[in-house]
Amino acid sequence: MVAGGAGFLGTNLCRRLLADEGNHVVCLDNFYTGRRENIEPLLENLRFSLLEHDVTEPLTLDEAVDEMYNLACPASPPQYQKDPVYTTRVNVLGTLHLLEAARRIHAKFLQASTSEVYGDPVVHPQAEGYRGNVSCTGVRACYDEGKRCAESLAFDYARMYGVRVKVVRIFNTYGPYMDAADGRVVSNFIVQALRGEPLTVYGTGEQTRSLCYVDDLLTGFLRMMAAEDEFSGPVNLGNPEEYTVLELAEKIIDAVGSKSVIVHRALPQDDPKRRRPDISLAEKKLDWRPAVSVAEGLQRTVQYFS
């Protein structure tokens, strides 16, 4: 089961899981931010089914599920800030309901957490032992603190009920099936460049991001799910290559072959200044590191948006 299976990561994960002919995949989504058109081609596959459900409501499963991936949550600032109370409900109640379902049916459970649990970090790069610098009252708190609470629920279900949990912390990811209007830096820049519009850089553009291509991230998911039960994480999954936002804008202009110029806007509140994962734990425990270069990944993503 992939909760949030019609979103960016969920769609790619459903496709990846279906590529293994031994898998049957249940996509759970209420289409709050996920898109039905993402998964419509998959509905023709007899090994794929759709369960329309809002995870903020309790979940009763009629089918056997042995693995659950919880990707259910608005993931870009414009999406999760649109209704911050609902975002918190998805992160807390949604994770609780899915964990309870996993407990009842003895399913292994992977919680998609985020680098946002580190907030605006004062430690660089960020390793799993860093406890973060999160504003619990800021405009991003519904997502940041919601994901931190979701992690604590996962580990408490492991300690109290023996649920086999896996927690991964996702750093900036990009690739096919991103929503063109979701407000993330890569999709924003690519769409603006393809339209010949100015690329909007917030602040000076000296803030940094580390971008991981979606195929690499999913390999990390699958390796984490297959790892020994004793290894619950959390584990960082991301690309340690670090670029300024200005450098990313220039790379995307080159990849598109656009004549777009760069314009600057005010920096949003609580926007992280530096973001780069320490992936030494993933390398050691999962034998994982990204294989797709940023240049290659951006070309594939530009082709998708084109």
Side-chain angles (χ1 to χ4, degrees):
M1 172 173 280
V2 180
F8 160 46
L9 294 183
T11 300
N12 281 284
L13 180 57
C14 287
R15 288 175 170 271
R16 179 75 167 263
L17 291 169
L18 287 170
D20 182 337
E21 294 186 358
N23 288 330
H24 293 252
V25 177
V26 180
C27 167
L28 183 152
D29 211 298
N30 70 340
F31 302 106
Y32 180 73
T33 55
R35 294 184 295 166
R36 191 179 295 271
E37 57 265 34
N38 282 354
I39 59 160
E40 278 179 349
L42 304 181
L43 293 171
E44 300 174 5
N45 191 322
L46 296 178
R47 295 183 290 109
F48 180 83
S49 60
L50 170 64
L51 175 60
E52 287 196 50
H53 181 78
D54 186 329
V55 294
T56 64
E57 301 296 331
L59 175 66
T60 300
L61 292 176
D62 297 325
E63 49 223 308
V65 171
D66 58 353
E67 294 180 354
M68 296 176 68
Y69 295 81
N70 181 20
L71 313 181
C73 184
S76 71
Q79 290 174 341
Y80 64 67
Q81 291 172 14
K82 181 171 65 174
D83 186 343
V85 173
Y86 182 70
T87 298
T88 300
R89 286 168 56 84
V90 170
N91 276 320
V92 180
L93 289 178
T95 302
L96 180 66
H97 292 149
L98 291 170
L99 279 165
E100 186 60 24
R103 181 183 73 83
R104 289 195 304 268
I105 62 178
H106 307 291
K108 194 184 298 187
F109 185 92
L110 184 141
Q111 171 63 27
S113 189
T114 171
S115 59
E116 293 289 338
V117 301
Y118 301 122
D120 187 5
V122 295
V123 171
H124 192 78
Q126 295 82 55
E128 292 83 357
Y130 175 50
R131 296 184 180 181
N133 178 37
V134 174
S135 168
C136 62
T137 60
V139 296
R140 301 168 76 105
C142 58
Y143 188 70
D144 302 3
E145 296 287 24
K147 287 289 189 180
R148 285 159 72 100
C149 184
E151 285 195 19
S152 73
L153 281 168
F155 287 109
D156 283 338
Y157 261 74
R159 285 185 284 260
M160 290 189 67
Y161 306 118
V163 176
R164 294 169 296 158
V165 302
K166 307 286 184 178
V167 176
V168 297
R169 291 175 176 167
I170 302 168
F171 283 68
N172 293 74
T173 305
Y174 68 101
Y177 298 102
M178 295 181 84
D179 185 340
D182 73 358
R184 301 187 216 208
V185 64
V186 171
S187 52
N188 269 3
F189 285 169
I190 290 177
V191 169
Q192 289 170 336
L194 286 169
R195 292 173 175 166
E197 298 171 352
L199 272 63
T200 307
V201 170
Y202 294 98
T204 64
E206 294 304 311
Q207 65 271 35
T208 66
R209 296 294 182 266
S210 303
L211 299 179
C212 185
Y213 189 65
V214 64
D215 288 359
D216 285 331
L217 181 76
L218 298 185
T219 298
F221 280 9
L222 300 183
R223 292 191 185 179
M224 185 59 170
M225 189 65 96
E228 68 272 18
D229 289 346
E230 292 73 23
F231 182 55
S232 297
V235 61
N236 289 337
L237 294 179
N239 191 333
E241 291 184 39
E242 184 179 12
Y243 297 96
T244 68
V245 171
L246 270 178
E247 288 172 332
L248 291 172
E250 290 161 357
K251 283 179 178 295
I252 288 170
I253 288 172
D254 289 343
V256 172
S258 173
K259 291 182 167 52
S260 293
V261 297
I262 294 172
V263 297
H264 293 261
R265 297 286 184 268
L267 191 68
Q269 182 181 340
D270 297 331
D271 192 59
K273 298 176 185 66
R274 299 192 73 184
R275 185 63 62 73
R276 176 185 166 200
D278 179 332
I279 62 168
S280 54
L281 184 62
E283 290 176 317
K284 177 181 177 182
K285 302 293 285 189
L286 307 177
D287 190 26
W288 178 89
R289 69 175 296 111
V292 179
S293 69
V294 170
E296 181 182 354
L298 287 177
Q299 284 290 353
R300 295 183 192 179
T301 309
V302 166
Q303 186 175 16
Y304 168 77
F305 277 105
S306 295

Coordinates of all heavy atoms in Angstrom, one line a residue, residues 156-194:
D156 N 7.2 5.1 18.7 CA 6.4 4.6 19.9 C 5.6 3.4 19.5 O 5.4 2.5 20.3 CB 5.4 5.7 20.3 CG 6.2 6.8 21.2 OD1 7.3 6.4 21.7 OD2 5.7 7.9 21.3
Y157 N 5.1 3.3 18.3 CA 4.3 2.0 17.9 C 5.3 0.9 17.8 O 4.9 -0.3 18.1 CB 3.6 2.3 16.5 CG 2.2 2.6 16.7 CD1 1.8 3.8 17.1 CD2 1.2 1.6 16.4 CE1 0.4 4.1 17.3 CE2 -0.1 1.9 16.6 CZ -0.5 3.1 17.0 OH -1.9 3.4 17.2
A158 N 6.5 1.1 17.4 CA 7.5 0.1 17.4 C 7.8 -0.4 18.9 O 7.9 -1.6 19.1 CB 8.8 0.5 16.8
R159 N 8.0 0.5 19.8 CA 8.3 0.2 21.2 C 7.1 -0.5 21.9 O 7.3 -1.4 22.6 CB 8.8 1.4 21.9 CG 10.2 1.9 21.6 CD 10.6 3.0 22.4 NE 10.0 4.3 22.0 CZ 10.6 5.2 21.3 NH1 11.9 5.0 20.8 NH2 10.0 6.3 21.0
M160 N 5.9 0.1 21.7 CA 4.8 -0.4 22.4 C 4.1 -1.6 21.8 O 3.7 -2.5 22.6 CB 3.7 0.7 22.5 CG 4.1 1.9 23.4 SD 2.7 3.0 23.7 CE 1.6 2.0 24.7
Y161 N 4.1 -1.7 20.5 CA 3.3 -2.7 19.8 C 4.1 -3.7 18.9 O 3.6 -4.6 18.3 CB 2.2 -2.1 19.0 CG 1.3 -1.2 19.8 CD1 1.2 0.2 19.5 CD2 0.5 -1.7 20.9 CE1 0.4 1.0 20.2 CE2 -0.3 -0.8 21.6 CZ -0.3 0.5 21.3 OH -1.1 1.4 22.0
G162 N 5.4 -3.4 18.8 CA 6.2 -4.2 18.0 C 6.0 -4.1 16.5 O 6.4 -4.9 15.7
V163 N 5.4 -2.9 16.1 CA 5.3 -2.7 14.6 C 6.7 -2.5 14.0 O 7.5 -1.8 14.6 CB 4.4 -1.4 14.4 CG1 4.4 -1.1 12.9 CG2 3.0 -1.6 14.9
R164 N 6.9 -3.1 12.9 CA 8.2 -3.0 12.2 C 8.2 -1.7 11.4 O 7.5 -1.6 10.4 CB 8.5 -4.2 11.3 CG 8.6 -5.5 12.0 CD 8.6 -6.7 11.1 NE 7.3 -6.8 10.4 CZ 7.1 -7.4 9.2 NH1 8.1 -7.9 8.6 NH2 5.8 -7.4 8.7
V165 N 8.9 -0.7 11.9 CA 8.8 0.6 11.3 C 10.2 1.0 10.7 O 11.2 0.5 11.1 CB 8.4 1.8 12.3 CG1 7.1 1.4 12.9 CG2 9.5 2.0 13.4
K166 N 10.1 1.8 9.6 CA 11.3 2.3 8.9 C 11.0 3.8 8.7 O 10.0 4.2 8.2 CB 11.4 1.7 7.6 CG 11.5 0.2 7.6 CD 12.8 -0.3 8.1 CE 12.9 -1.8 8.0 NZ 14.2 -2.3 8.5
V167 N 12.0 4.7 9.1 CA 11.8 6.1 9.0 C 12.9 6.7 8.1 O 14.1 6.5 8.4 CB 11.8 6.8 10.3 CG1 11.7 8.3 10.2 CG2 10.6 6.3 11.2
V168 N 12.5 7.3 7.0 CA 13.5 7.9 6.1 C 13.2 9.4 6.1 O 12.1 9.9 6.1 CB 13.4 7.4 4.6 CG1 13.7 5.9 4.6 CG2 12.0 7.6 4.0
R169 N 14.3 10.2 6.0 CA 14.2 11.7 6.0 C 14.6 12.1 4.6 O 15.8 12.0 4.2 CB 15.1 12.3 7.0 CG 14.6 12.1 8.5 CD 15.5 12.6 9.5 NE 14.9 12.5 10.8 CZ 15.6 12.6 12.0 NH1 16.9 13.0 11.9 NH2 15.0 12.5 13.1
I170 N 13.6 12.6 3.8 CA 13.8 12.9 2.4 C 14.3 14.3 2.3 O 13.7 15.3 2.8 CB 12.5 12.7 1.7 CG1 11.9 11.3 1.9 CG2 12.6 13.1 0.2 CD1 10.5 11.2 1.4
F171 N 15.4 14.5 1.5 CA 15.9 15.8 1.1 C 15.3 16.2 -0.2 O 14.7 15.3 -0.9 CB 17.4 15.9 1.1 CG 18.0 16.0 2.5 CD1 17.9 14.9 3.4 CD2 18.6 17.1 2.9 CE1 18.4 15.0 4.7 CE2 19.2 17.2 4.2 CZ 19.1 16.1 5.1
N172 N 15.5 17.4 -0.7 CA 14.8 17.9 -1.9 C 14.9 16.9 -3.0 O 16.0 16.4 -3.4 CB 15.5 19.2 -2.3 CG 15.2 20.3 -1.4 OD1 15.8 20.4 -0.3 ND2 14.3 21.2 -1.8
T173 N 13.8 16.5 -3.6 CA 13.7 15.5 -4.6 C 13.0 16.1 -5.8 O 12.1 16.9 -5.7 CB 13.0 14.2 -4.1 OG1 13.7 13.8 -2.9 CG2 13.0 13.1 -5.1
Y174 N 13.3 15.6 -7.0 CA 12.7 16.1 -8.2 C 12.6 15.0 -9.3 O 13.2 14.0 -9.1 CB 13.5 17.3 -8.8 CG 14.8 16.9 -9.3 CD1 15.1 16.8 -10.7 CD2 15.9 16.6 -8.4 CE1 16.3 16.4 -11.2 CE2 17.1 16.2 -8.9 CZ 17.3 16.1 -10.3 OH 18.5 15.7 -10.8
G175 N 11.8 15.3 -10.3 CA 11.7 14.3 -11.4 C 10.3 14.3 -12.0 O 9.4 15.2 -11.7
P176 N 10.0 13.3 -12.9 CA 8.7 13.2 -13.5 C 7.5 13.1 -12.5 O 7.7 12.6 -11.4 CB 8.8 12.0 -14.3 CG 10.2 11.8 -14.6 CD 10.9 12.3 -13.3
Y177 N 6.4 13.6 -12.9 CA 5.1 13.6 -12.1 C 5.1 14.7 -11.0 O 4.2 14.7 -10.2 CB 4.8 12.2 -11.5 CG 4.6 11.2 -12.6 CD1 5.6 10.3 -13.0 CD2 3.4 11.2 -13.4 CE1 5.4 9.4 -14.0 CE2 3.2 10.3 -14.4 CZ 4.2 9.4 -14.7 OH 4.0 8.5 -15.7
M178 N 6.1 15.6 -11.0 CA 5.9 16.8 -10.1 C 4.8 17.6 -10.7 O 4.6 17.7 -11.9 CB 7.2 17.6 -10.1 CG 8.4 17.0 -9.5 SD 9.9 18.1 -9.6 CE 9.6 19.0 -8.1
D179 N 4.1 18.2 -9.8 CA 3.0 19.2 -10.2 C 3.7 20.5 -10.6 O 4.4 21.1 -9.9 CB 2.1 19.4 -9.0 CG 0.9 20.2 -9.3 OD1 0.9 20.9 -10.4 OD2 -0.1 20.2 -8.6
A180 N 3.3 20.9 -11.8 CA 3.9 22.1 -12.4 C 3.6 23.4 -11.5 O 4.4 24.3 -11.5 CB 3.4 22.4 -13.8
A181 N 2.6 23.3 -10.7 CA 2.2 24.5 -9.9 C 2.4 24.2 -8.4 O 1.8 24.9 -7.6 CB 0.7 24.8 -10.1
D182 N 3.3 23.3 -8.0 CA 3.4 23.0 -6.6 C 4.3 23.9 -5.8 O 4.4 23.8 -4.6 CB 3.8 21.5 -6.4 CG 5.2 21.2 -6.7 OD1 6.0 22.1 -7.2 OD2 5.7 20.1 -6.5
G183 N 5.0 24.8 -6.5 CA 5.8 25.8 -5.8 C 7.2 25.4 -5.5 O 7.9 26.1 -4.8
R184 N 7.7 24.2 -5.9 CA 9.0 23.7 -5.5 C 10.0 24.3 -6.5 O 9.7 24.7 -7.6 CB 9.1 22.2 -5.6 CG 8.2 21.5 -4.6 CD 8.4 20.0 -4.6 NE 7.2 19.3 -4.5 CZ 7.1 18.1 -3.9 NH1 8.2 17.5 -3.4 NH2 6.0 17.5 -3.8
V185 N 11.2 24.4 -6.1 CA 12.2 25.2 -6.8 C 12.5 24.6 -8.2 O 12.5 25.4 -9.2 CB 13.6 25.3 -6.0 CG1 14.2 24.0 -5.8 CG2 14.5 26.3 -6.7
V186 N 12.6 23.3 -8.4 CA 12.9 22.7 -9.7 C 11.7 22.9 -10.6 O 11.9 23.3 -11.8 CB 13.3 21.3 -9.5 CG1 13.4 20.6 -10.9 CG2 14.6 21.1 -8.8
S187 N 10.5 22.6 -10.2 CA 9.4 22.7 -11.1 C 9.1 24.1 -11.4 O 8.8 24.5 -12.6 CB 8.1 22.0 -10.4 OG 7.9 22.5 -9.1
N188 N 9.2 25.0 -10.4 CA 9.1 26.5 -10.7 C 10.0 26.9 -11.8 O 9.6 27.5 -12.8 CB 9.4 27.3 -9.5 CG 8.1 27.6 -8.6 OD1 7.1 27.1 -8.9 ND2 8.3 28.3 -7.5
F189 N 11.3 26.6 -11.6 CA 12.3 27.1 -12.6 C 12.1 26.5 -14.0 O 12.2 27.2 -15.0 CB 13.7 26.8 -12.1 CG 14.2 27.6 -11.0 CD1 15.3 27.3 -10.3 CD2 13.5 28.8 -10.6 CE1 15.8 28.1 -9.2 CE2 14.0 29.6 -9.6 CZ 15.1 29.2 -8.9
I190 N 11.8 25.2 -14.0 CA 11.6 24.5 -15.4 C 10.4 25.1 -16.1 O 10.5 25.4 -17.3 CB 11.5 23.0 -15.2 CG1 12.9 22.4 -14.8 CG2 11.1 22.3 -16.5 CD1 12.9 20.9 -14.5
V191 N 9.3 25.2 -15.4 CA 8.1 25.8 -16.1 C 8.3 27.2 -16.5 O 8.0 27.6 -17.7 CB 6.9 25.7 -15.1 CG1 5.7 26.4 -15.7 CG2 6.5 24.2 -14.9
Q192 N 9.0 28.0 -15.7 CA 9.2 29.4 -16.1 C 10.2 29.4 -17.3 O 10.0 30.2 -18.2 CB 9.8 30.2 -14.9 CG 8.8 30.4 -13.8 CD 9.4 31.0 -12.5 OE1 10.6 30.8 -12.2 NE2 8.6 31.7 -11.7
A193 N 11.2 28.6 -17.3 CA 12.2 28.6 -18.4 C 11.5 28.1 -19.7 O 11.8 28.7 -20.7 CB 13.4 27.7 -18.0
L194 N 10.7 27.1 -19.6 CA 10.0 26.6 -20.8 C 9.1 27.6 -21.4 O 8.9 27.7 -22.6 CB 9.3 25.3 -20.5 CG 10.1 24.1 -20.3 CD1 9.3 22.9 -19.7 CD2 10.8 23.6 -21.6

